[in-house]
Amino acid sequence: MERFKKFDLLLNVQIAIAFSLSIIFSQFFNLENSITAGVVTLLSIQITKKQTIVIAIKRVFGFFLMLALILIFFNFIGYNLYSFGLFVFVFAILNSFFNISVGLAPNVVMAGHFYVKMSTEFNFIINELAIYLIGLTMAIAVNLIIPITKKDSNTDRNKLDNHVKKLLLYISDL
């Protein structure tokens, strides 16, 4: 029972609320692939507000990188598995290079929407951007409204610090 803490419950409540609200907002605006907004939210909520915002920024950068690449690959090579696979290869390399790998999975999913739709029309680009921004905004908003207390994070950090100190003292006695 110790493994199930108030901290875990609060994080899961955040995830459930943000996931649901993302989908509701996406459906309200009649966006295609509205479930993806919830998934983006789910993947973006972090323990701290700062981590959530940093990940959101990296994912937005990744989204525009993904968009540029699919416009090139799909429009010049075609909507086929070869171009999609090549896109994933190049996109993964660039994600590593720019240190934005946290956005790899959700952005490949977004690229998959373009692949399945076989379209990079402006309206669909706006749809996908809206889905993405709703998901990220909801992750940030819920993290700001229902924060996980700093006390919990500090308590965990202090426990870890104490364990490391004990380990270092033990090693120094050897």
Side-chain angles (χ1 to χ4, degrees):
M1 195 66 174
E2 188 178 315
R3 293 189 72 199
F4 187 71
K5 301 174 186 172
K6 177 183 164 187
F7 176 77
D8 296 332
L9 180 61
L10 190 53
L11 180 61
N12 289 313
V13 167
Q14 275 184 321
I15 289 169
I17 290 170
F19 178 85
S20 300
L21 288 174
S22 294
I23 295 169
I24 290 167
F25 279 116
S26 298
Q27 289 176 341
F28 176 79
F29 292 111
N30 294 318
L31 298 173
E32 291 181 52
N33 306 310
S34 60
I35 298 296
T36 304
V39 174
V40 169
T41 300
L42 175 100
L43 294 171
S44 299
I45 290 182
Q46 300 297 306
I47 293 172
T48 67
K49 294 172 206 142
K50 182 180 177 182
Q51 288 174 330
T52 301
I53 291 169
V54 167
I55 281 188
I57 291 167
K58 287 182 176 186
R59 289 195 169 147
V60 167
F61 178 69
F63 178 87
F64 286 108
L65 179 62
M66 173 273 300
L67 188 58
L69 290 173
I70 64 158
L71 286 170
I72 293 166
F73 284 95
F74 291 162
N75 289 324
F76 290 106
I77 300 173
Y79 292 90
N80 55 58
L81 194 53
Y82 172 75
S83 64
F84 193 58
L86 190 59
F87 154 78
V88 171
F89 175 70
V90 171
F91 188 59
I93 289 171
L94 291 174
N95 269 257
S96 294
F97 179 78
F98 290 118
N99 192 27
I100 56 169
S101 293
V102 294
L104 182 64
N107 282 310
V108 169
V109 169
M110 299 303 276
H113 293 166
F114 290 98
Y115 175 72
V116 169
K117 182 117 174 144
M118 296 186 143
S119 172
T120 53
E121 291 176 0
F122 183 74
N123 288 341
F124 194 63
I125 291 171
I126 296 302
N127 179 88
E128 294 302 286
L129 179 60
I131 288 286
Y132 213 69
L133 292 177
I134 287 171
L136 293 174
T137 302
M138 204 52 58
I140 293 168
V142 170
N143 203 313
L144 291 173
I145 294 167
I146 312 172
I148 296 173
T149 63
K150 191 172 184 177
K151 181 181 173 189
D152 289 336
S153 296
N154 284 338
T155 302
D156 290 341
R157 188 176 307 126
N158 289 338
K159 285 180 185 177
L160 180 61
D161 287 345
N162 286 333
H163 288 300
V164 170
K165 285 177 188 175
K166 287 178 186 176
L167 179 62
L168 290 173
L169 288 172
Y170 176 76
I171 292 171
S172 68
D173 288 341
L174 293 177

